[in-house]
């Protein structure tokens, strides 16, 4: 059974869950069977009760179940790639290559890694040394599933950002509810359909919906909430989680800066920035380059190189290119238009600026030296606009970045080794990439997650498993070697000896204790 | 979901809950009034000035270097070395804590914790090298442990030194500026902490704010980079709500009703000794990992009770109310709370040992109860005192359901010599931590993360985990300009798509 409904009626939103599609110009992807009933408070309660029962019965705990579910996810990727590509095209006009590579292939890698590593991940960590105080003993850290968890995902990479956390939740042995974003309705509906069809519905469920459904879900007591989206909603999620002491992972965004040193390979730099900005969902990505910092002197060269490569990538008329996503909906289109049309901003466009509200297309647009207090420099752009801020010398980039909320990513292009190291060590961001954009996302040995305004917690690879596990400390002691000095009545002699014991590691003390015991 | 209204509610309930603290915290306390601290009231402007100053120090890089961290840690060690008698005395004032407990479970544990940090800090600070994948080749990657910024530690009254300084060790080790708010319910300790930290540590980056609800509320309005709270789950919720407003990650070290399961296949004498030492011998049950209730079989319970009685008498004498080897109850509020749960109907008649109390000297004797109702107060809230109910089961197997039906505790204990039972318990019982055949000692193992799950909290610390709790694990990927492949870039062709998919999906050899 599919619980819930994608509501067509856009309710008046209590200024919380945000910008929503009014009417998708593209087409209405309505799967009739999902529309059967409205998701209500009782449904949310029943849902969690059912999943809690499965969890308590141990359904999700075993290695076999986890692997089976992961393999089913792999089957989804293998058997349904064309439908996924098509849903992403419906929702975002996403080019096939982007959908295949950045959503399906990344997921496939992620699943393959989990299947391969799961036994290792699940094995308790033996803790090498127990201290003298607790001798004789052995200790380990056991990875314990948290229970029933909620994943609330985003519209920009609706498959990757939905299934990747679900991989972590399943790997760690949890029951999981996924709430895909209502702003990518074709993807949401396909996710609901495929997960219902392939996965164990006693422990993995999809609830489609918007504000109402999310609010009802958030009232339940989850063992973890994993949210991908904006910092504004992130606060609301955490507030709701606090009521039940539910830990959260918040994968948010921010204005990720790109610093370009003049000592760089400018051609490759420009290519990589374009691929990471417009080539990743047309700037609608949480780790998208948000603005460029470079010197006044070097900026004309940067602009020329960007123009040249943009034309090589997307042709003379980028509005016609099939190789770029469109803007997700008219609300976001209007938000971006407003940003672009602001006073002292619109006259700073040096490239692009074309837009077409009917097709929800905005051309790659570069601006130079917009005011720092403009909207475009105050909020996350999340679209195809790229302002360049020029500095008297590159050194100033450190202060500019530090004076702003911590971004999800910070990028630097340079061949200067000292600058690389200094940037990596001192610039605070979720992650740092030197000489490329966004590719750290594809390295499963690196934790992916924000800091400060860009979020808390991390995932990918083993970190996903960890995000959905409780690391339980386990200490086994034996009954031999029980020393009387631990116990009252306390004498001065006991105090002295116990202090010596606790404070030192010396073998002599240890012998004394054994003598005493 | 409007969080304005929620925050109002939350500060109301903060006042509500924190105002339970007595106006006059106890008649036994030596007056330890520091004039400087009393000179003025802590106001909103003070909180924001404090934050501004510490932020300035952090931004100026004061706290980042290895040298600063080490120098501050060494100062903390000097505090332990030079001021143990004053610490013991403050703990005696606040809690009547025996010298051995103060010396061993507060000062010595801190000393160990500091020494470990000093020894390991270079290793902890070094970036972790990470393997890179083909997709990003050629590249190198590492995980850099980055200080979070300016952090707040709100600690508790039961182990006021350990629970204050141990998180501060983590905060300093990780290179943060830190504000400590000790508990106002242990005023002598709070005052001594303020004095010593002010005297020894770098005031540009480490501060102590003493106070109660007002001060805490003002502090919680600031934008910290992490809040580390030790206390109750009720206040934990309020802390997390306040933190949500600024997207501040939290560590919540809470408590819960930690069960002790006793199998009949055990060394009963050592079992009861360890339970007594872990319950009454650790601040008289006023500890977050204190045994809260015992589960054993109907059949075995009489033996457990007999053994407990015998060892309690060996430890504390015929009249435990006179023993110097046990803390008192922290204050009259808590005394009254404990009295109330003890005097409840169908509970008071279940006392099989102890039960004596004296409100004038805030003493309650070690008290054992047998088969109190499951819905009684004593079985509903965390006891946090010298009362210990024993629940009997038809067979030990039932213990798993009893524990699972309740909120997840901070610790779960099992005494048995049965290897299978040990393993099953360790694998399937959910709790912050598990100890088999002892009580509370996992706390002293720095290689184990210490922290709760569910109602018993989130996040963990101790040893390297303390450093991690106050660090951001920053992913860093270095790429070179060589090996730039055109297939990454538009215009996209069929061939590019096929090749790129093959590249992403496979390993080096196949390509």
């Amino acid at each position: 059974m599919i619980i819930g409904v994608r509501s067509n009626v856009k309710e008046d939103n209590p200024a919380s869950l945000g910008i929503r599609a009014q009417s998708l110009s593209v087409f209405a992807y309505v799967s009739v069977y999902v529309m059967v009933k409205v998701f209500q408070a009782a449904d949310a309660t029943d849902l969690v009760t059912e999943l809690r029962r499965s969890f308590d019965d141990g359904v999700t705990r075993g290695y076999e179940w986890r692997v089976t579910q992961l393999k089913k996810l792999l089957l989804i990727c293998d058997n349904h790639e064309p439908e996924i590509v098509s849903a992403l095209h419906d929702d975002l006009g996403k080019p096939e290559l982007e959908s295949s590579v950045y959503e399906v292939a990344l997921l496939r890698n992620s699943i393959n890694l989990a299947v391969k590593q799961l036994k290792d991940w699940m094995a308790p960590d033996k803790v090498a040394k127990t201290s003298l105080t607790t001798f004789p003993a052995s200790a380990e850290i056991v990875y314990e599933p948290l229970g029933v968890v909620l994943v609330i995902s985003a519209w920009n990479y609706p498959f990757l950002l939905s299934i990747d956390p679900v991989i972590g939740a399943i790997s760690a042995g949890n029951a999981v509810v996924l709430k895909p974003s209502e702003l990518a309705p074709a993807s949401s509906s396909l996710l609901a359909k495929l997960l219902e069809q392939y996965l164990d519905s006693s422990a993995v469920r999809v609830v489609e919906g918007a504000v109402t459904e999310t609010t009802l879900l958030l009232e339940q007591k989850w063992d973890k909430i994993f949210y991908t989206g904006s910092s504004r909603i992130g606060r609301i999620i955490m507030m709701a989680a606090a009521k039940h002491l539910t830990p959260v992972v918040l994968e948010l965004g921010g204005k990720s800066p790109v610093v370009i040193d003049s000592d760089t390979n400018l051609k490759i730099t420009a290519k990589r920035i374009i691929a990471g900005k417009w080539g990743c969902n047309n700037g609608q990505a949480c780790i998208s380059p948000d603005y460029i910092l470079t010197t006044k002197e070097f900026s004309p060269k940067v602009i020329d190189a960007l123009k040249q490569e943009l034309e090589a990538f997307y042709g003379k008329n980028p509005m016609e290119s099939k190789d770029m996503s469109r803007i997700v909906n008219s609300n976001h289109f209007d938000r971006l238009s407003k940003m672009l049309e602001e006073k002292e901003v619109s006259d700073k466009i040096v490239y692009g600026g074309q837009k077409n509200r009917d097709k929800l297309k905005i051309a790659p647009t570069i601006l130079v030296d917009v005011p720092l207090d403009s909207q475009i420099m105050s909020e996350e752009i999340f679209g195809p606009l790229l302002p360049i801020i020029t500095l008297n010398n590159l050194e100033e980039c450190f202060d500019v970045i530090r004076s702003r909320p911590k971004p999800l990513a910070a990028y630097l292009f340079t061949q200067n080794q000292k600058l690389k190291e200094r940037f990596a060590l001192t610039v605070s961001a979720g992650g740092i990439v030197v000489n490329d954009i966004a590719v750290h996302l594809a390295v499963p040995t690196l934790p992916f997650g924000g800091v400060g305004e860009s979020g808390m917690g991390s995932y990918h690879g083993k970190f996903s498993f960890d995000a959905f596990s409780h690391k339980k400390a386990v200490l086994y002691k034996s009954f031999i070697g029980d020393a009387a000095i631990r116990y009252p009545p306390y004498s001065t002699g006991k105090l002295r000896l116990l202090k010596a014991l606790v404070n030192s590691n010396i073998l002599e003390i240890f012998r004394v204790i054994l003598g005493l015991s």
Side-chain angles (χ1 to χ4, degrees), chain A residues 31 74 92 97 119 137 187 241-242 263 300 356 392 404 423-424 458 468 484:
Chain A
S31 38
L74 204 56
L92 293 153
L97 183 133
K119 273 229 167 89
S187 303
D263 175 13
N356 180 337
N392 289 318
R404 301 175 153 261
F423 193 86
S458 64
F468 289 101

Side-chain angles (χ1 to χ4, degrees), chain A residues 255 277 290-293 365-370 376-377 381 385-389:
Chain A
K255 294 182 77 66
K277 171 87 177 177
D290 193 278
Y291 63 98
I292 288 177
L293 293 170
T365 300
I366 300 171
L367 305 100
V368 176
D369 283 332
V370 295
I376 200 172
M377 281 309 292
I381 295 172
L385 322 177
L386 183 60
I388 299 175
I389 306 289

Side-chain angles (χ1 to χ4, degrees), chain A residues 56-193:
Chain A
D56 284 346
D57 287 346
V59 168
T60 63
R61 282 198 173 242
Y63 172 78
E64 290 308 327
W65 183 87
R66 306 186 197 190
V67 162
T68 312
Q69 300 305 306
L70 291 172
K71 285 184 174 161
K72 293 277 175 60
L73 286 174
L74 204 56
L75 271 187
I76 292 180
C77 294
D78 289 343
N79 296 352
H80 299 276
E81 183 163 334
E83 287 160 83
I84 293 172
V85 166
S86 155
L88 287 166
H89 192 267
D90 290 348
D91 287 333
L92 293 153
K94 202 175 265 195
E96 183 184 355
L97 183 133
E98 283 190 39
S99 298
S100 281
V101 175
Y102 302 139
E103 303 225 35
V104 182
L106 279 182
L107 278 178
R108 209 179 266 130
N109 277 358
S110 186
I111 300 163
N112 280 330
L113 181 78
V115 169
K116 196 173 147 201
Q117 298 286 331
L118 189 56
K119 273 229 167 89
D120 284 344
W121 292 349
M122 286 174 70
D125 292 340
K126 291 286 165 196
V127 170
K129 266 197 237 161
T130 56
S131 74
L132 202 54
T133 329
T134 55
F135 182 88
S138 70
E140 61 187 17
I141 298 169
V142 170
Y143 291 86
E144 176 177 273
L146 294 169
V148 184
V149 302
L150 175 65
V151 171
I152 302 177
S153 81
W155 54 262
N156 56 337
Y157 285 82
F159 288 89
L160 181 67
L161 300 181
S162 293
I163 295 182
D164 215 8
V166 168
I167 293 167
I170 290 174
S171 300
N174 299 278
V176 55
V177 172
L178 166 68
K179 213 298 285 171
S181 170
E182 74 281 9
L183 300 191
S187 303
S188 172
S189 167
L190 184 59
L191 278 164
K193 192 188 110 187

Side-chain angles (χ1 to χ4, degrees), chain A residues 248-472:
Chain A
V248 293
V249 171
L250 302 176
E251 293 285 343
L252 313 177
K255 294 182 77 66
S256 299
V258 182
V259 175
I260 308 178
D261 182 22
S262 56
D263 175 13
T264 188
N265 180 324
L266 190 54
K267 192 178 174 72
I268 298 183
T269 298
K271 281 183 173 188
R272 290 180 176 175
I273 291 172
I274 296 167
K277 171 87 177 177
W278 296 281
C280 287
N281 205 27
N282 205 5
Q284 302 170 107
C286 52
I287 46 173
S288 190
D290 193 278
Y291 63 98
I292 288 177
L293 293 170
T294 191
T295 58
K296 263 193 191 23
E297 206 187 333
F298 196 58
S299 64
K301 289 186 185 158
V302 171
I303 295 165
D304 283 348
L306 283 169
K307 284 180 182 172
Q308 192 182 327
E309 296 302 329
L310 273 166
E311 214 173 291
F313 284 12
Y314 302 114
K316 289 242 181 251
N317 188 358
M319 297 289 278
E320 300 298 318
S321 169
K322 301 269 179 244
D323 294 336
M324 234 183 311
S325 297
R326 62 165 165 78
I327 307 306
V328 61
N329 60 35
S330 50
N331 269 359
H332 275 278
F333 185 93
D334 293 344
R335 178 183 64 78
L336 289 162
S337 297
K338 196 176 147 210
M339 229 180 225
L340 199 55
E341 283 157 13
E342 199 186 0
K343 217 186 123 196
E344 296 188 74
V345 170
S346 57
D347 57 345
K348 304 289 165 34
I349 297 173
V350 295
Y351 184 81
Q354 306 90 321
K355 47 193 162 65
N356 180 337
R357 196 176 190 274
D358 293 336
K359 292 184 184 165
L360 296 173
K361 287 260 184 189
I362 299 178
T365 300
I366 300 171
L367 305 100
V368 176
D369 283 332
V370 295
L372 286 178
D373 59 353
S374 58
Q375 272 196 45
I376 200 172
M377 281 309 292
S378 310
E379 49 178 85
E380 187 175 0
I381 295 172
F382 224 74
L385 322 177
L386 183 60
I388 299 175
I389 306 289
T390 65
L391 310 168
N392 289 318
N393 61 68
L394 206 68
E395 184 61 27
E396 294 168 23
C397 80
F398 293 99
D399 279 342
V400 172
I401 298 173
R402 195 171 53 202
S403 68
R404 301 175 153 261
K406 296 179 178 180
L408 186 53
Y411 304 110
L412 168 69
F413 288 89
T414 186
Q415 314 212 59
N416 177 332
Q417 194 55 35
K418 278 214 170 128
L419 182 59
K420 284 183 196 177
E421 279 162 23
R422 185 169 160 218
F423 193 86
L425 280 171
T426 65
V427 169
S428 187
I432 304 267
V433 183
V434 175
N435 292 337
D436 209 333
I437 302 286
V439 287
H440 59 311
L441 178 111
V443 181
T445 50
L446 288 178
F448 184 78
V451 59
E453 284 289 311
S454 53
M456 58 185 82
S458 64
Y459 73 134
H460 286 184
K462 170 71 154 55
F463 305 102
S464 292
F465 176 84
D466 290 346
F468 289 101
S469 299
H470 165 53
K471 294 187 187 181
K472 186 168 65 175

